[in-house]
Structures are given as structure tokens and as C-alpha cells.
Amino acid sequence: MTMTPMKAPPLVSLQSPKDVSIDQIEAELSQIWESYRESGSKGDFPIATRATTFTFVVYEPEETQQLLADLGFYNGPVDGITGPMTASSIRAAQKAYGLPRTGKANAELLDTLREEVARKNSQGELLGPSGFGSGGSGVADAIVAANPCRIIALCPTAGEDTGVQAQVAAYCPVHKRGSGNLICCEYITLRGTEAALERVSAIVTALTISELPTLLWWKANPDADRSLFQRLAATSSSVIIDSSSFAEDEAELLLMQSLIEEGIPIADLNWRRLAAWQELAAEAFDPPERRAAIREIDRVTIDYEKGNSTQALMYLGWLASRLGWRPVAFKQEEGDYQIKRIKFVGTDERVVEAELAAIPTADTGDVPGDLIALRLNSTNENADCGTVLCSETGGCMRMEMKGGAQTDRFNQVTPLFDQVTEQLLGQHLQSWGRDVLYEESLAVTAQMLNLSSSQ
């Protein structure tokens, strides 16, 4: 099944990004809503009110938006959420500098932008207003339209510590149906060095709306020793991460498990990308004649795009947690495929062996480490449990070469549009409770990885 993303309604600007002092943030925002309440009561236009839903805190160390704003390509708030406006600005910059027009930031683009900003600084040329931009909305439309809220963007910068710059803005999604009041998002952007942001962490906490949930999107390595992370995580209803960006994937998955054990509610967007693979594997054993055969599975092979193993490890953790497999051995083999071999013991003392292989791909997808293929099988040749799942783009070549493919049941996992980060994020913001299945699966994944570190 292929899903198309829902088209988001347009946004109306109540307040373009405006520089303010930190101690005046609440007063400035209150003034915006008061002025629109008064104008709306006169019938000039619908009354605009701030959303009273939740606070969404985004820690954004990525500097693309800021550099684009400095060079005049981007005029929205530096909020760290890549939406259509940011992608359009990236394409404009890529065109201007003779780079491939992909709409996606990469090392080549960032190097070019940094060099151009440094050149303009050295020549005393004027950069973007206040270094922030002056209008529009950089927040992904799908998030804003479905989830009006207060957004606090924390943007760490390099260089000299000159304190924290603050900015406020307000935007409202306009829905065609009905002529009721506008329910609007308000944005607070704080920029400064990491040390400066840590100094004002108490202020950040105070800016969250009391008695409403606070969701933290930590778009950096989940460093549990970082005081800013600790303070924000301790007061958040959900800490959102994306393990596809982990640089040290195994170590950071173990860190996620330790944070969950400390009571911090972790949500991984990369876990949500596994839903189609989980559903198809479960459906393969829905027929009554195959239900008993699921207990015959004792061989698992998972192929994933080389570069990040978190999806494969979490999927295997999910499979083991559902079937009651206990990990007893973990071995890493170097080479082209960087194969991980994990041995389990089932509830009936059956030995289960799994192989995870990092497949070098010439054309990698948007998400590092996406699953390519999965094979479930048994050493019992009479067992009807042979199942192969393939990605629509990656295929099942290695699975088919292993032999016995003619007895397997094949199915194709069609990539869904809602695996795009902002769509996954939007889903989580609408249903952000603790994910027991994720926590149980990650616990088994951590058991596997602890075996690796102890050997």
C-alpha cells in the first residue's frame, strides 16, 4: 500500500521573526495574542488564539538554515525542522553555487555556505537580518497544520560566547472549512554557544507551558552527560530521537536503553520506520495452517544498507521479544558485509541463529541503514515457515542466492511517504504515550549488544 502525504493548509503570519530580549519573551508573545483578540472582536478577521496543547522543544545543532538565512536564501525562523521552505531555499543556494539541485543539505553545500559567509564577514558585507531571517515559516507544514503548539528551538552555534539571542514569531494554519477562530503556533528561537544555552536552561524550562505536556526533539547525539539534555529530558513527557543519525549506533542504542531504565520516555522515529516490516512478517503467519510453523523458525537473515545498523538490530530485538528468544552469543565479523551473528535460545531450548549483513549500496536512500531484505527459515525442511520480505527498491538478490527460495513465501515492503521525518514526527505528536512494544524490543536489543561488549 502506498500512502500520499496530506497536503497542508497555508499559513498566515501574525508575527514575523522578531528579535527580543530573553526576559521579554512572554510579554512579547502575550502582546501578539492580545492585539489579535482585540482586532478579531471588531470583526476585522477571525480571532487568533495561541494553541494550548503542548510545548515542543527542538534542539537543533544543524546550521543549514542559519547559513541560508545569512546569505539571503531563507527568510523563516531558524527552528531546525526541515520543511518545504527550507528545501526550496537549499535548491536556490545549490543553483546559485553550481551544485546539484537536490533540495537536501550535504557536506559540499555546507562547506560552500560556510566559506561564503566567512568571505562576506571578512569584507564587512551585510548578512541576513539579525542572522535569523524575517518572515515565512520553516516548520514543516504537516507538523504545524495538525499540531498547533508552542515551539522552542534551541540552536547551538560555534565561535565566541556572546550570550543568547532570542526571537519570537507566530503563525496560524488556515483551514478552508469553517470560519471559526484561528488556533496558532508560537515560536521561540534561542541561539548561542552550547555553554550559553546551558546557562539559560532554567529559562527554557520556565518557557514551557505549565500543566501541559512538553515534548523534546533532540536532534543530536543523545549525550546523557550533557547538562542541558539532562535538564530538558527530566521535565519532558517524551524525548524524541532518530537513531538513523547515530554515529556510534550500538553504543547509543545502549544509551537509549539506560535512559529508559532511568524513567525517561524515549521515542525513536527510526523505530516507526519498521512498522511495515513488522506488519508483513506478522501477516505471513496469520493463516491458520502457518501459525504453528512460526515456532519452527530458527534461522533469521536481515540485510540493511551499510552505514547504520540500528534498524536491523531493533527489528531483530522485536522478533526475539515476540517469540521469546533469549540472546546467548554475539559475534562481529569484519569484511565487506560487516556481518553480525547472534545466537538465541528459544522457550523450547531450540537454538536460533541470526545474521545481520550491512550491504554496500551504490544508491543509498534518505535514511541510513534502511532494511533491504529479511528471511525467516528453519533447519527443519518440513516446516512451512520460509518467508522473505524485500524492500521495493533494494530487492532480495542475496536472499534468493542462498538457496531454497522456491519454498519461501515472498512479499514486498512498499515504502510509505509517511516515513518522511516530518510525517513520522507528526504521527508521534498526535499520539505520544510510552511505546511498550518499543521498550520491550529495545531491552532485548540491549541484551544482544551487551553480549558483544563482554566478548
Side-chain angles (χ1 to χ4, degrees):
M1 176 178 64
T2 301
M3 297 175 61
T4 55
M6 182 173 57
K7 187 176 181 180
L11 300 178
V12 60
S13 169
L14 298 191
Q15 173 63 64
S16 296
K18 178 182 179 182
D19 295 335
V20 299
S21 61
I22 290 181
D23 58 355
Q24 290 297 310
I25 290 175
E26 286 287 7
E28 288 284 347
L29 288 171
S30 296
Q31 185 176 345
I32 295 171
W33 304 121
E34 184 61 32
S35 63
Y36 273 83
R37 185 161 47 248
E38 292 177 357
S39 300
S41 64
K42 298 174 184 178
D44 294 342
F45 41 74
I47 297 174
T49 57
R50 63 173 56 166
T52 54
T53 49
F54 57 89
T55 303
F56 187 35
V57 181
V58 182
Y59 181 82
E60 175 52 69
E62 214 281 314
E63 59 184 319
T64 303
Q65 283 180 333
Q66 180 58 51
L67 293 170
L68 291 168
D70 285 345
L71 295 171
F73 294 104
Y74 176 72
N75 66 343
V78 180
D79 50 38
I81 305 175
T82 301
M85 187 176 182
T86 303
S88 177
S89 301
I90 290 173
R91 281 192 291 270
Q94 289 169 330
K95 179 181 179 181
Y97 298 120
L99 302 173
R101 297 176 64 185
T102 63
K104 299 175 183 177
N106 54 31
E108 184 180 18
L109 173 67
L110 289 174
D111 287 344
T112 301
L113 296 178
R114 292 188 192 106
E115 290 172 4
E116 188 65 12
V117 167
R119 185 187 67 79
K120 287 182 175 288
N121 276 324
S122 66
Q123 296 179 2
E125 295 184 35
L126 183 66
L127 298 178
S130 303
F132 281 102
S134 58
S137 173
V139 174
D141 293 348
I143 298 174
V144 175
N147 307 280
C149 60
R150 169 174 287 191
I151 297 176
I152 304 175
L154 308 177
C155 303
T157 60
E160 183 181 355
D161 186 346
T162 58
V164 175
Q165 296 174 279
Q167 192 180 70
V168 296
Y171 297 91
C172 311
V174 180
H175 296 275
K176 293 181 179 179
R177 294 182 180 178
S179 57
N181 298 347
L182 298 175
I183 307 300
C184 310
C185 281
E186 52 189 6
Y187 306 87
I188 301 168
T189 303
L190 301 176
R191 290 187 69 245
T193 63
E194 189 169 309
L197 291 175
E198 287 185 0
R199 286 199 305 272
V200 301
S201 58
I203 296 176
V204 176
T205 303
L207 287 171
T208 61
I209 304 174
S210 61
E211 299 182 1
L212 289 176
T214 295
L215 280 66
L216 170 64
W217 188 14
W218 191 262
K219 297 179 68 179
N221 289 341
D223 185 354
D225 296 328
R226 185 176 291 161
S227 60
L228 180 60
F229 175 83
Q230 289 179 321
R231 180 185 287 271
L232 295 176
T235 58
S236 296
S237 307
S238 179
V239 177
I240 305 165
I241 54 97
D242 188 342
S243 60
S244 71
S245 65
F246 286 176
E248 300 179 6
D249 40 16
E250 294 185 14
E252 292 177 38
L253 281 178
L254 287 172
L255 175 56
M256 291 301 97
Q257 176 61 21
S258 68
L259 293 175
I260 290 173
E261 291 173 355
E262 293 172 14
I264 296 175
I266 299 295
D268 186 352
L269 298 180
N270 209 28
W271 164 258
R272 287 179 173 262
R273 296 187 181 103
L274 296 175
W277 292 85
Q278 293 166 333
E279 290 168 5
L280 280 180
E283 289 173 8
F285 294 92
D286 274 348
E289 67 273 13
R290 287 199 104 205
R291 289 175 189 171
I294 196 170
R295 295 297 172 187
E296 296 289 336
I297 296 172
D298 58 16
R299 294 295 182 269
V300 180
T301 305
I302 300 176
D303 289 352
Y304 60 96
E305 289 187 5
K306 192 172 185 177
N308 184 294
S309 64
T310 53
Q311 279 193 25
L313 287 166
M314 289 191 297
Y315 190 90
L316 184 57
W318 167 76
L319 196 63
S321 70
R322 298 306 92 194
L323 297 179
W325 299 343
R326 175 172 52 87
V328 294
F330 189 114
K331 181 181 178 182
Q332 174 81 46
E333 298 178 3
E334 297 305 321
D336 291 341
Y337 291 161
Q338 299 176 350
I339 290 177
K340 305 177 193 294
R341 299 191 187 279
I342 303 96
K343 183 178 293 187
F344 301 87
V345 174
T347 53
D348 56 357
E349 298 305 310
R350 177 191 297 270
V351 174
V352 181
E353 295 182 358
E355 174 188 295
L356 275 54
I359 307 299
T361 53
D363 211 9
T364 57
D366 293 338
V367 179
D370 262 342
L371 295 192
I372 295 175
L374 161 76
R375 185 177 187 181
L376 306 175
N377 217 324
S378 175
T379 52
N380 178 2
E381 296 181 357
N382 297 318
D384 180 21
C385 63
T387 302
V388 175
L389 304 182
C390 312
S391 69
E392 187 177 70
T393 54
C396 285
M397 289 185 60
R398 207 173 75 93
M399 300 294 168
E400 293 167 351
M401 289 188 297
K402 293 176 77 73
Q406 67 276 7
T407 63
D408 292 336
R409 300 194 182 191
F410 281 73
N411 213 331
Q412 193 172 68
V413 181
T414 303
L416 302 181
F417 283 105
D418 62 357
Q419 290 188 343
V420 176
T421 299
E422 57 261 33
Q423 295 286 347
L424 294 171
L425 189 59
Q427 293 172 14
H428 180 72
L429 294 181
Q430 295 180 58
S431 178
W432 50 264
R434 296 189 84 112
D435 188 338
V436 176
L437 184 59
Y438 164 69
E439 294 183 359
E440 291 178 353
S441 302
L442 186 62
V444 177
T445 301
Q447 293 171 14
M448 291 158 35
L449 295 176
N450 281 325
L451 288 170
S452 173
S453 59
S454 65
Q455 293 176 0

